[in-house]
Amino acid sequence: MEAHSESFKEASAFAEAGESSEFKTIEDIAFYRRQKRLLPGNSPYHGLLDTIELSDCRAKLHLLNEENKVTLFMELFVLQNNVIRIKVNELNPLKPRYEVPDVIINELPSQSLIMVCRDGLSVTLATVDGGTQILIVAKPFRMEVREHGQMSMSVNSLGLLYFEHLRKKSQSEDRSERGNSVGGKRKCDTNKESEDVQGLWKEQFHEFIDTKANGPTSVGLDFSLPGFEHVYGIPEHTDSLRLKTTSQEEPYRLYNLNVFACKLNSRMGIYGSIPLLLAHKTKKTLGIFWLNSSETMVDISTNTENKGESGRVKKLKEDDDRPLRTDVRWMSESGIIDVYILLGPSAFDVFNQYSRLTGTQTLPPLFALGHHQCRYTYKDESDVKQVDAGFDAHNIPCDVIWLDIDHTEGKRYFTWDKTKFPAPREMQEYLRTKDRKLVVIIDPHIKVDKNYSIYCEANSKKYFVMDKDGEEYQGSCWPGISAYLDFTNPVVRNWYADKHGLDQYKDSTDILFVWNDMNEPAVFGAPELTMPKDAVHAGGWEHREMHNLYGFYQQRATAEGLIRRSGGKERPFVLTRSFFAGSQRYGAVWTGDNVADWSYLKISIPMLLNLSITGISFCGADVGGFAQNPDPELLVRWYQAGAYQPFLRNHSNTDTKRREPWLFGEENTRIIRESIHERYTLLPFWYTLFYMAHTKAEPVIRPLWVEFPEETNTFAIDDEYLIGEALLVHPVTEAGVTEVSVLLPGKGEVWYHLETLQRFNGDQILLTSVTLDNIPVYQRGGTIIPRKTSVGRSTKHMETTSYSLHVALSSENTATGKLFIDDGHSFNYQSKNQFLLRKFSVKDNTFSAVCADERGWYCTECLVEKIHIVGAGQPYCVTTLGPDMQEIPVQFNYNLEKCLLIIENLQFNVGCDWTLRLKY
Amino acid sequence: MAVRVAALGGRSLGLGLLLLLVAAAAATEVKRPRGVSLQNRHFYEENIPFTCLDGSKTIPFHEVNDDYCDCKDGSDEPGTSACPNGSYHCSNAGHRSEYIPSSHVNDGICDCCDTTDEYNSGATCLNTCKEQGRKERENMQKMAEMAKEGFKLKQQLIEDAKKSREDKQLKLAELQKEKANWEIQVESLRTVKEAAEQPEQEAKDTHKNAWDEVQAAHNLEKNKAKAAETFKELDDNEDGFITMNEIQTHAELDSDGDGVVSEQEAETLLGGVSHVDVASFQEVVWAGIQDKYKSEAVTETPIVPEVPVEGGADSSREVDHEDHRKDEDEDDYGEGQDEGVGDDDSEDDGEEEEEEEEEDGAGEDYYKNRPSHVPEKEGTEEEKMPAYDEETQVLIDVAEKARNEFSEAEKLLKEVESSIGSIEKELLVDFGPDGEYAYMFDQCYEMTTNEYVYKLCPFNKVAQKPKHGGSETNLGVWSSWAGPENNKFSFMKYDHGTGCWQGPNRSTMVKLSCGRETMVLSTSEPSRCEYLMEFSTPAFCQEGVHDGSDHDEL
């Protein structure tokens, strides 16, 4: 955490909050302490089997807590596509409890259930086809999910179902509270003390007191996963791809926080939260989606881990002979239990199931997949122009230049600093001539200033979050004292979206896009640098209920604003720092304020992979590291990695040295240029993958195990990954490295080094030498990658550039690949079917290009000009079919050494069907 | 001589311009494939198979510029954007020719001033070569004139520097002589002084010893009286003896720390006997108890350390703090950011530090204040030593005179030495190959922006001061010439300036350029706390550099 001292951007926040303890440790979290007093063992809950009701395609059941006699109401749904939903609430709550809205986009149709077995002790329900069965055991209550006779998971088998019912404050609690506030002294009242420790109605952290109007409302449940040893997901943490067990260490915390230069290998909560956990074993992947937006803790344990001291773990000793198992315990501060079990069976099935609930990755405008240049801060218009000119002078493509907070008039978003940016519209028009875009930062805090129209309007309309006493909540952020828009309110979102209109946002143009930062939300001098949990949102809901949704909602409103600005025609681009399940529908995510250190480059890989498999395909880390100065080698390596990651942005803090890619000497500039050129050359491939993520929920970058689910040696790999199914990338993340050990997975498969085209067999660990010039990248045999033949200064300049298709043959001499093309910026692909989805394949010595989606048509002049086939033998002739089906020979070259067949000078329109025959 | 050289420079400039114009006219005439420079024309002979410039491949001539990339080095497509790594040459008749990346050909953006890069994109480009060429030539002419004048001034500066250097050396020699004289003088006065001081010291010592004896006798007397008084006090039953009981009433005499004087302790105090009379009390007991003993009479209230008074040292501390605070604000917001923006936090930081400092400061004050009271009190109690006798006083006066004369001479010697030091230091500074930068020494040049006044004092320091009041921030002190090896005198480096808040010490690079006037042209802060200043001076002007002969094809 030395990084603190280096940073200005957030140092003020830190100086204010103190050195290291601005964030809670588990000892500081009252609901977690309360839940952890419940040890594995017999659950106090009793499933009242007499109350079972099967109707409306669901099962209903009462659960009685035998200790406090409070009854819960459980609903059980078996949804289409192999998803089970378990919903538990109080049977008769004093008032409604918070249920997360707006995240689930489709209520999936549920299947009818039948009771297949019943005795006094248990009930077995099943779908009509009998494929899925749910066993409900009455006492102690637990459930088992069985598929085709096999147990997939059990629920509450450790007895950790926990549900704090709404209650009235007892008189003694009230008295002691009042006595406390009147006297102002801490009397040694034993009762009171234990209450303080429990934090039922009040919880203190440092000087901050969280008042709990509703008292304790925490919920929790455990899931046991037989046969599973590998679990993933629940971002965002600076931890490995594979989640670690938490019995000896801190649990995974999901609580969106503004953490500068986050500590690495930590499970503390950072900017965003996705409560989706994936579990994988050979032949089966499943997911647990815990739909709760309050602070959430996840405990993970296995029955194989080192057991010892604690009695809690000892209890499991008798299980030793049993097969291996992973237990996952979810604990949330408030709300209800609403959990979706995604039963797979494959990883791609889980991705698909999750996307049906929360949506897929939005299709970014093509420019957003290009190279972004950001800095805190580009000082003025001439600075922007010089940076823009620098890219042209150094022949480095760039699509977007970014402006951080200082472009505004005193951090009043939607305004311009008149001295530094006197003519913002002209500046944007200038960028437009280069076919570049501008992204500006718009944070959620609004400066309290009677002369600032946004503030005045929102203030008079009561659009801000309130404090617990019903006054406008005000906290401190960049502009000083600020109020926070209540994005959970649809009326506010609607109003906010309109603020992005070209008529309302003065001097904005349609090449301006938006970056939402600090939307955890960040509040300086507040508990954990965020909004107090007892602040109040629309509908009277406490902030604690939906804290993790705040950034999600801001990005949603911003995206809506940008779409509306174009009359619904243009795709938006919005980058957000904070996010929740479903944020993939609105744009991109980056990993926040990282540091120019090798360790942060290394951790970016597992961080991005965990985001990718939980729906957020459009993600990236600041190239070079936001805080501190990278040495040239680190910067070069970071560009090389970033060029192969979905969101590619160079960003740096105000106290760092300038970091435009040409400032590090000619040789480094050359290498950086080459990696960015490679990125632009591969854009058709990236764009097609984004289309697949958008339509099929396939993650753009993937952990190895997703593609090789039966190869156990891939399960924990997170220093390399796949782009789509075709490219394996192993970034170099250490200084001075001359050799890298790469795992090439795939028994019976082949791989080709992307540059040398050297062929390697799969299922081996390869020790390969590297220079500073490049990082190891391999194309998988059996794939076809579309590329552009040359690059321009931005994506727009490559619109008409020809394609070349790079084929890597499998060991069976086959290959397939896809290419998606549309206008790159509008919704016409959707509304007018203006797109091309082409499928290329090589089989039986024939290369064919066919349409992969007959619905679409898009007119393009682009040609397929070249085809490279690596792994091919030397044909004596290559022909294509002429208009009247006669065979016409085409020109080709063969490189014997590389087994590379190059077919050149082709003139196929990319939208047309055609074939090539390789004659042997 | 200087004048003649400058004139030559001017003429070569004229010739360069002429050649440039001729070349521009000729360039358009020569036939060659699009995008090929005149130099490379011979590689592209019409109707002869073309071999890639890297030798990798040979293709029929008609495949050159056929919008299909054959050569790995991109050399077969000099005039299209087909090759990812090619470059396009524009002649830019009327201006300077240049290469642009192939990807910029026909991409709708006009790169070449002669518009030839956009021959097929539909972009409407205006040929601006003539205009640009004219402007550049005008500009170059201006520069050349400036260089000429500057160079003239420089010659003067060189001569001045030479002269001033000679003057300084002369002065130095003089001072060295003077110094030698003063050294002799100082030595002889030292001898006189020492000779006078010896008898003085002896007489003073005698006087003091006598006084000490008187004092000692007096003190002994006092002590005895005190002992007698104490005896009386202790002797409760007034029987002329002090018994163990009587001593036991004085708990402060306890020696083992239990707060009670036991019989054994009392006996020890009385010297191993059960009672003592006045005489043995004075001889044996008193010495053992006089430090601890508390009189039964009303004791004086102990001296309470006074509470430091506000003002004085304390208020100066406040001022220090204010300064510190301002520094901090400058660091954060010194780059022209809005006032009142985000400062709430930094103010809070300030306050935090303030508290800390107050604690430290208060402690210091406490210790500072205390000693000043103590000697005063003691001084008043002491009786004064009587004045010296006449004989001694005479010796003292003589010695005092010798001392004064000696220190006066020593002071003058130091002054001479310091003059020598500063001249030597100046002579050591590298004022350029011909000393042309010497004239800036001891000068400062200011430049005012919207918010700040920047001050460059060459070979000394760079500073920044807020226009509307506030303290000066040091942007670096003279370090060295810092240009590249072949042009060392093009940059000056100033470093170790005021530390940035949570950052490095400020530093400034000064980039020199040729100009009539010596002035600061601009300042900027390319990286946080690293400043760049542009500075013009005739001393940087070179002979005939701006002759306009940039490599154009001929």
Side-chain angles (χ1 to χ4, degrees), chain B residues 59-248:
Chain B
I59 56 169
F61 185 77
H62 67 83
E63 289 186 8
V64 169
N65 278 344
D66 68 343
D67 206 17
Y68 184 86
C69 190
D70 296 286
C71 299
K72 269 195 180 151
D73 65 356
S75 57
D76 64 312
E77 296 295 318
T80 75
S81 59
C83 290
N85 51 350
S87 53
Y88 175 90
H89 181 266
C90 25
S91 312
N92 292 343
H95 191 37
R96 208 177 320 104
S97 67
E98 65 175 329
Y99 281 98
I100 62 167
S102 281
S103 59
H104 295 184
V105 173
N106 286 328
D107 71 345
I109 295 169
C110 314
D111 292 279
C112 302
C113 65
D114 67 3
T115 77
T116 55
D117 61 316
E118 296 301 318
Y119 58 87
N120 198 19
S121 69
T124 42
C125 300
L126 283 179
N127 188 326
T128 57
C129 289
K130 269 188 192 155
E131 179 62 17
Q132 279 187 36
R134 189 178 59 77
K135 271 194 193 148
E136 188 173 287
R137 281 188 296 278
E138 276 174 14
N139 202 17
M140 282 195 302
Q141 192 148 7
K142 262 189 216 152
M143 300 271 281
E145 276 163 25
M146 200 195 288
K148 195 170 127 189
E149 272 182 60
F151 191 70
K152 209 153 84 184
L153 291 170
K154 179 179 172 180
Q155 302 316 308
Q156 189 58 47
L157 292 175
I158 291 172
E159 284 195 13
D160 290 353
K162 219 164 127 189
K163 189 156 174 300
S164 142
R165 191 178 173 82
E166 281 162 7
D167 288 352
K168 294 242 160 68
Q169 267 156 346
L170 280 179
K171 173 93 181 160
L172 186 63
E174 246 169 64
L175 286 169
Q176 298 281 22
K177 259 187 226 158
E178 219 173 298
K179 183 185 160 203
N181 284 341
W182 278 116
E183 275 167 351
I184 294 165
Q185 191 96 9
V186 165
E187 275 320 297
S188 72
L189 286 170
R190 187 198 305 280
T191 320
V192 173
K193 178 185 81 123
E194 280 167 2
E197 276 175 340
Q198 203 193 345
E200 178 204 24
Q201 193 58 47
E202 280 166 8
K204 272 165 104 176
D205 287 349
T206 315
H207 182 83
K208 184 157 191 299
N209 289 342
W211 171 243
D212 284 350
E213 272 167 41
V214 172
Q215 278 286 90
H218 179 76
N219 283 342
L220 194 66
E221 209 50 43
K222 251 169 76 179
N223 197 19
K224 252 187 189 164
K226 187 104 194 265
E229 200 181 310
T230 306
F231 186 86
K232 256 192 200 160
E233 236 177 57
L234 279 173
D235 185 13
D236 293 336
N237 56 5
E238 297 176 22
D239 63 351
F241 291 101
I242 290 171
T243 61
M244 296 197 311
N245 285 347
E246 283 164 341
I247 214 134
Q248 273 175 291

Side-chain angles (χ1 to χ4, degrees), chain A residues 478 480 657 791 793 797 904, chain B residues 68 103 107 111 342 344-345 530:
Chain A
W478 303 129
K657 290 184 191 306
V791 302
R793 57 186 108 204
H797 286 283
E904 298 188 296
Chain B
Y68 184 86
S103 59
D107 71 345
D111 292 279
D344 308 84
D345 310 301
E530 291 178 13

